[in-house]
Amino acid sequence: MIKAPDYDWRCPRCNTINAANTAICSSCHHDVTFRSPSFWRQMKDGAVPAWRRVLVIAGYAVGFALLLGGLGLFFRVYFLTNLQGMLWSAIAALTGGAITRIAYALDPDNA
C-alpha cells in the first residue's frame, strides 16, 4: 500500500495544499494512496484460476504481437513483391488473430 506523504502536498485534482501525513484531500476528498487494481488482480479477485489468468494475459500478448507483426509485414514489406513472404506473414497474422480470439473467449469479462 502506498503511504501518505510526510510533507505538505498539492492535490492533483483540485490543486489544494494539504497537511503532511494525510492521504485524503480536505477539499475534494481525493485519496492519493489509491491505485486501481491490475488486470491480474481484478481476475484474481473474481476467483479466476491462475492457469486461466496466465492463458488470457499470455494469449493477448502473443496474439496481438503476431497479429500486428504479420499484418505489418504483409502490407509494408511483402505486399505484391514476394508471394512467399506474403503467405508467411498472412499465416502469422491469422494465427495471431486466432490466439487473440481464444484469449478473448477465455477472458471472464467477456463471458
Side-chain angles (χ1 to χ4, degrees), residues 13-57:
R13 275 196 191 159
C14 66
N15 211 23
T16 302
I17 298 176
N18 293 285
N21 299 317
T22 59
I24 298 175
C25 177
S26 60
S27 179
C28 69
H29 306 290
H30 173 65
D31 186 358
V32 294
T33 61
F34 176 75
R35 298 286 187 267
S36 58
S38 65
F39 187 49
W40 182 269
R41 174 61 65 187
Q42 289 174 11
M43 286 195 291
K44 187 175 182 180
D45 292 344
V48 177
W51 64 268
R52 190 168 173 184
R53 284 180 266 162
V54 169
L55 281 179
V56 168
I57 292 173

Side-chain angles (χ1 to χ4, degrees), residues 77 102-103 111:
V77 178
I102 291 169

